[in-house]
Amino acid sequence: MELIDAMFKRRSSRKFTDEPITKAELDMILKSALLAPTSRNRKPCNFLVVERKEILDELSRAKDHGAQFLKDADKAIVVLASEFESDTWCEDSSIALTYMHLMATDLGLGSCWVQIHLRERDGTDAEEIVRDIVGVDLHYRIVGILALGHLESQPEPHTPDDLDKSKVHFLV
Ligand SMILES: Cc1cc2nc3c(=O)[nH]c(=O)nc-3n(C[C@H](O)[C@H](O)[C@H](O)COP(=O)(O)O)c2cc1C
């Protein structure tokens, strides 16, 4: 697929079938994460693949809203970035999440970003909750989780009409 076609086709998908993602598909998604650029090439991100239903279920309750569909995902990839390794952990994690989201689209799979950083469950920091679930130290920062699965139905791609050209400015 042309990159621009994948960009139009990319949608956030929250409904998945039970069909498992293959190892080859998962490998491609992880490759895309490892190809993402990082500031000063520090590579602070680690990618934790979660497949166990009980853990996906726990993750789906890690914040007040917008994570429920994780329980129906075939897999989730938790992006864990060490703040000791880079002060741009947030940017680096976001780029890796975006690369994986686009690669999933290219493979015909559904995916959705689940924001964890700056989110809460009943007043508790969602990053703290996810760190407890997956068992990592406090210095691991968690921008988000990518939910992955086979699409229940093909979402409508974006069209040129969706492009808000008023957001583009030229300084003359
Ligand atoms: C930084 C960021 C955080 C997001 N967090 C969530 C989330 O927690 N839950 C969710 O269902 N979707 C989340 N999304 C998906 C957005 O809601 C979605 O990208 C937006 O509505 C546009 O729809 P589209 O992705 O289908 O083009 C997030 C997207 C981004 C870029």
Side-chain angles (χ1 to χ4, degrees):
M1 202 185 299
E2 291 279 344
L3 183 56
I4 190 69
D5 295 333
M7 286 174 163
F8 272 107
K9 209 171 159 201
R10 184 215 56 79
R11 296 304 309 266
S12 297
S13 308
R14 303 175 180 89
K15 290 200 168 149
F16 308 108
T17 68
D18 291 338
E19 186 183 344
I21 289 171
T22 64
K23 185 180 175 313
E25 288 166 337
L26 180 63
D27 279 353
M28 289 289 280
I29 291 165
L30 293 170
K31 261 185 203 152
S32 73
L34 298 171
L35 280 166
T38 62
S39 175
R40 298 180 185 174
N41 208 19
R42 290 252 170 100
K43 303 182 169 89
C45 304
N46 292 268
F47 304 95
L48 179 69
V49 181
V50 178
E51 300 174 309
R52 274 172 45 201
K53 280 288 163 205
E54 61 270 31
I55 309 284
L56 290 169
D57 194 62
E58 278 190 69
L59 291 174
S60 77
R61 289 181 273 108
K63 62 172 184 165
D64 292 327
H65 309 283
Q68 326 74 270
F69 53 90
L70 269 171
K71 71 176 177 356
D72 304 316
D74 178 60
K75 299 185 200 318
I77 301 181
V78 184
V79 181
L80 302 162
S82 166
E83 64 182 355
F84 293 161
E85 289 175 34
S86 180
D87 58 357
T88 57
W89 55 270
C90 190
E91 292 80 358
D92 296 338
S93 300
S94 301
I95 297 166
L97 277 159
T98 305
Y99 267 44
M100 293 193 288
H101 192 26
L102 273 173
M103 178 55 79
T105 303
D106 194 58
L107 294 167
L109 299 170
S111 61
C112 189
W113 181 313
V114 177
Q115 181 74 15
I116 297 299
H117 177 49
L118 305 173
R119 297 292 177 264
E120 294 183 345
R121 184 181 71 201
D122 299 330
T124 303
D125 181 6
E127 278 191 80
E128 201 177 304
I129 294 169
V130 174
R131 274 195 293 267
D132 275 354
I133 296 170
V134 301
V136 292
D137 289 346
L138 195 61
H139 69 277
Y140 282 106
R141 305 303 307 267
I142 308 170
V143 168
I145 301 174
L146 194 72
L148 281 167
H150 277 273
L151 290 163
E152 200 176 86
S153 62
Q154 194 67 46
E156 283 297 311
H158 287 291
T159 69
D161 286 344
D162 295 337
L163 306 179
D164 183 355
K165 294 195 174 125
S166 74
K167 300 284 183 187
V168 180
H169 311 275
F170 293 88
L171 188 62
V172 287

